[in-house]
């Protein structure tokens, strides 16, 4: 068309398309789909949600240098699915992990017992994929990761919650849960635990409890599924050995991630398990390999830089946590109860019983503050009702202070607590 630019043609096309009747896919949808996702409207001004990291701590320059070096040297291997490393993932990254896991978690494994995954979320899917059927039962910490809870719900799996105290999962309660299942003729498919900086409580399971968990698991013939993705983020840097390392019988599957130590958007996680298990997971990993560029960058970056990167990261996170705890004390006073977590990126907060954090969510968001309501992180929804999880890694110190002040205002308006804000009586 004379005088019509390609952009104008595209514009008319888009308008016409908007007026056309749309094809109705709804009757064709597969049964059992989860509810539709909400459209993303950007992050809240003060976002305490998700497992996001501190933007200032992403080692951008070193990642650029690593990317450039590895691509110059090995870029041509991108022509092959799985590079030259095969379906388990970039071998230098698996070799780095094998020596790091030995040093930090006591795990003696070779690169052949590691499968690189697209985030540890894919690790959850693969482990669930080889073990779980609809109607099965698993055991978990009663306060736990929403991504795991949602998966069990979708799979039709019964999750038995075991209460925690300040040292993680209570072993007397685990023993009782296992005995109860046995009486009912149920053998749990696994005990899922986040033992090292638990999500959301921030607890670390001491070595003696780990031994007891292993003993109980063996006694009942139940494997342990150890999710260790926060293990690098401990304030004093000291951690007990991984359950995987302590087990004398096998029977433990271990997963981890670079999301919390480097960056979640990279989507690089891993599974440590015997080949007899990995060989059953690989056929379920139908993506023809996780993204290779990010594996190559980490494989290049980590051996030289990982150990120096982590201490300043955790120091920065600790400072943000202190800002958050100070702000909560100032704005909520005794209305906000919490334990000082041993590491990680979350604070798990209990508000007075009158507060329903599911109902607090929308008005808080309208005031620019996003929180994770407690019931989404608990097997017992009533227990979670007045609790909330706050991620302190991603917002700046200023946003943390402003966000907590705005949250106190909204909470006071909606539920009458706190009745004093910053030590001033609410009118
Ligand atoms: C306990 C736990 N497991 C797994 C994941 C998934 O992490 P990713 O897929 O980014 O490795 C998360 C993320 O927050 C988590 O908290």
């Amino acid at each position: 068309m004379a005088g019509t630019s390609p952009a104008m043609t595209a514009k008319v096309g888009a308008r016409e398309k908007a007026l056309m009747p749309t094809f109705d896919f709804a009757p064709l949808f597969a049964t059992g789909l989860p509810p539709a996702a909400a459209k993303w409207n950007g992050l809240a001004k003060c976002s305490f949600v998700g497992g996001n990291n501190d933007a200032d701590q992403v080692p951008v320059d070193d990642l650029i240098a690593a990317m450039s070096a590895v691509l110059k040297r090995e870029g041509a291997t991108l022509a092959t699915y799985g590079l030259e490393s095969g379906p388990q993932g970039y071998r230098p990254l698996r070799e780095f992990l094998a020596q790091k896991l030995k040093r930090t978690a006591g795990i003696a494994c070779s690169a052949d017992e590691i499968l690189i995954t697209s985030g540890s979320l894919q690790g959850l899917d693969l482990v669930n994929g080889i073990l779980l059927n609809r109607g099965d039962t698993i055991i978990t910490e009663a306060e736990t990761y929403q991504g795991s809870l949602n998966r069990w719900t979708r799979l039709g799996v019964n999750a038995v919650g075991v209460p925690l105290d300040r040292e993680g999962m209570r072993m007397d309660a685990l023993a009782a849960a296992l005995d109860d299942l046995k009486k009912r003729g149920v053998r749990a498919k696994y005990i899922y635990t986040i033992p090292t900086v638990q999500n959301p409580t921030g607890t670390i399971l001491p070595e003696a409890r780990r031994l007891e968990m292993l003993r109980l698991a063996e006694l009942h013939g139940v494997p342990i599924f150890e999710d260790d993705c926060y293990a690098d983020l401990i304030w004093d840097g000291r951690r007990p050995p991984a359950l995987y390392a302590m087990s004398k019988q096998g029977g433990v599957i271990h997963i981890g991630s670079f999301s919390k130590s480097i960056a979640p958007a990279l989507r690089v996680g891993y599974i440590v398990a015997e080949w007899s298990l990995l060989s059953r997971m690989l056929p379920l990993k139908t993506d023809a390999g996780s993204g290779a560029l990010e594996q190559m960058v980490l494989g290049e970056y980590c051996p030289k830089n990982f150990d120096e990167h982590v201490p300043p990261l955790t120091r920065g996170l600790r400072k943000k946590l202190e800002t958050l705890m100070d702000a909560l004390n100032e704005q909520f006073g005794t209305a906000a109860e919490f334990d000082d977590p041993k590491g990680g990126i979350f604070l798990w907060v209990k508000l007075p019983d009158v507060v329903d954090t599911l109902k607090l969510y929308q008005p808080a968001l309208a005031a620019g503050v996003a929180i994770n309501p407690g019931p989404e992180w608990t097997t017992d929804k009533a227990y979670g009702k007045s609790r909330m999880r706050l991620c302190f890694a991603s917002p700046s110190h200023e946003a943390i202070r402003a966000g907590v002040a705005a949250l106190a205002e909204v909470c006071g308006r909606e539920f009458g607590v706190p009745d004093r804000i910053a030590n001033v009586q609410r009118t």
Side-chain angles (χ1 to χ4, degrees):
M1 220 191 309
T4 309
S5 71
M8 278 173 76
T9 316
K11 237 181 179 173
V12 172
R15 200 180 309 134
E16 276 168 355
K17 205 167 164 213
L19 295 172
M20 273 162 46
T22 50
F23 185 84
D24 185 11
F25 276 93
L28 304 176
F29 285 154
T31 46
L33 284 185
K39 265 237 161 94
W40 193 66
N41 290 316
L43 289 176
K45 208 161 56 182
C46 303
S47 176
F48 294 116
V49 297
N52 296 318
N53 226 317
D54 186 342
D56 292 339
Q57 304 262 16
V58 177
V60 176
D61 290 339
D62 289 334
L63 292 177
I64 292 170
M67 168 82 100
S68 169
V70 73
L71 276 184
K72 275 186 197 142
R73 197 178 63 239
E74 297 173 36
T77 62
L78 284 164
T80 313
Y81 285 101
L83 309 165
E84 288 174 350
S85 295
Q88 279 176 253
Y90 186 52
R91 190 155 191 108
L93 181 59
R94 287 189 280 134
E95 274 160 5
F96 164 75
L97 276 170
Q99 65 81 12
K100 174 199 176 277
L101 288 168
K102 172 86 195 125
R103 204 162 25 87
T104 59
I107 293 178
C109 70
S110 75
D112 292 330
E113 289 152 281
I114 297 176
L115 169 61
I116 303 290
T117 53
S118 303
S120 50
L121 281 173
Q122 190 180 44
L124 294 176
D125 287 334
L126 294 175
V127 174
N128 288 344
I130 65 160
L131 292 177
L132 299 184
N133 290 310
R134 189 160 287 277
D136 276 347
T137 295
I138 63 91
I139 297 178
T140 173
E141 282 129 5
E143 289 139 285
T144 192
Y145 174 46
Q146 182 193 33
S148 300
L149 284 168
N150 287 347
R151 279 167 168 73
W152 298 319
T153 304
R154 207 160 61 236
L155 292 168
V157 165
N158 172 34
V160 175
V162 176
L164 300 94
D165 60 18
R166 290 188 170 147
E167 302 203 310
M169 193 191 282
R170 273 178 35 208
M171 289 305 113
D172 58 332
L174 174 62
L178 284 161
D179 286 343
D180 179 56
L181 288 175
K182 192 173 173 189
K183 261 188 234 134
R184 294 195 277 124
V186 177
R187 180 179 175 191
K189 277 295 182 71
Y190 58 63
I191 300 164
Y192 173 76
T193 178
I194 312 167
T196 320
V197 188
Q198 208 264 348
N199 179 3
T201 61
T203 52
I204 296 182
L205 198 72
E207 192 165 343
R209 281 202 195 183
R210 291 177 190 234
L211 276 173
E212 180 61 1
M213 185 186 284
L214 286 161
R215 190 188 70 79
L216 289 169
E218 194 195 329
L219 184 69
H220 288 267
V222 177
I224 295 174
F225 182 5
E226 175 176 47
D227 185 344
D228 230 19
C229 67
Y230 297 97
D232 291 311
L233 308 182
I234 300 177
W235 311 140
D236 66 9
R238 288 207 310 268
R239 59 156 298 165
L243 287 153
Y244 190 96
M246 293 171 71
S247 169
K248 297 201 170 68
Q249 319 292 324
V252 182
I253 300 175
H254 179 97
I255 65 170
S257 178
F258 287 96
S259 288
K260 314 302 169 182
S261 51
I262 308 286
L266 290 173
R267 310 306 306 127
V268 181
Y270 52 89
I271 302 174
V272 185
E274 291 158 16
W275 171 246
S276 60
L277 296 173
L278 293 184
S279 63
R280 305 311 300 258
M281 294 180 205
L282 273 169
L284 296 179
K285 191 174 184 305
T286 52
D287 56 6
S290 297
L293 266 187
E294 41 278 61
Q295 294 184 54
M296 292 168 87
V297 172
L298 287 175
E300 188 75 13
Y301 168 86
C302 288
K304 283 183 227 119
N305 300 293
F306 190 89
D307 286 356
E308 282 75 54
H309 165 72
V310 169
L313 169 65
T314 48
R315 277 198 297 277
L317 292 173
R318 174 74 209 175
K319 281 196 192 128
K320 285 193 169 182
L321 168 63
E322 278 166 14
T323 299
L324 175 60
M325 294 193 296
D326 286 350
L328 284 166
N329 284 332
E330 187 188 324
Q331 299 294 333
F332 281 82
T334 53
E337 294 171 35
F338 46 84
D339 286 328
D340 187 345
K342 302 227 163 76
I345 55 177
F346 304 118
L347 189 65
W348 183 232
V349 181
K350 168 78 175 72
L351 295 172
D353 291 345
V354 67
V355 179
D356 181 341
T357 51
L358 281 172
K359 294 192 178 136
L360 176 62
Y361 177 82
Q362 274 305 340
L365 195 60
V369 186
I371 59 162
N372 282 130
E376 294 170 2
W377 308 85
T378 47
T379 51
D380 174 353
K381 304 303 167 201
Y383 177 86
K385 179 188 151 221
S386 53
R387 291 179 159 81
M388 63 179 172
R389 194 193 73 163
L390 302 177
C391 172
F392 51 81
S394 168
S396 65
H397 289 269
E398 296 68 45
I400 291 172
R401 278 188 285 268
V404 171
L407 188 63
E409 190 60 46
V410 174
C411 196
R413 195 178 67 223
E414 299 290 321
F415 297 101
V417 286
D419 60 355
R420 299 177 78 82
I421 290 183
N423 218 20
V424 176
Q425 187 77 33
R426 277 174 54 80
T427 48

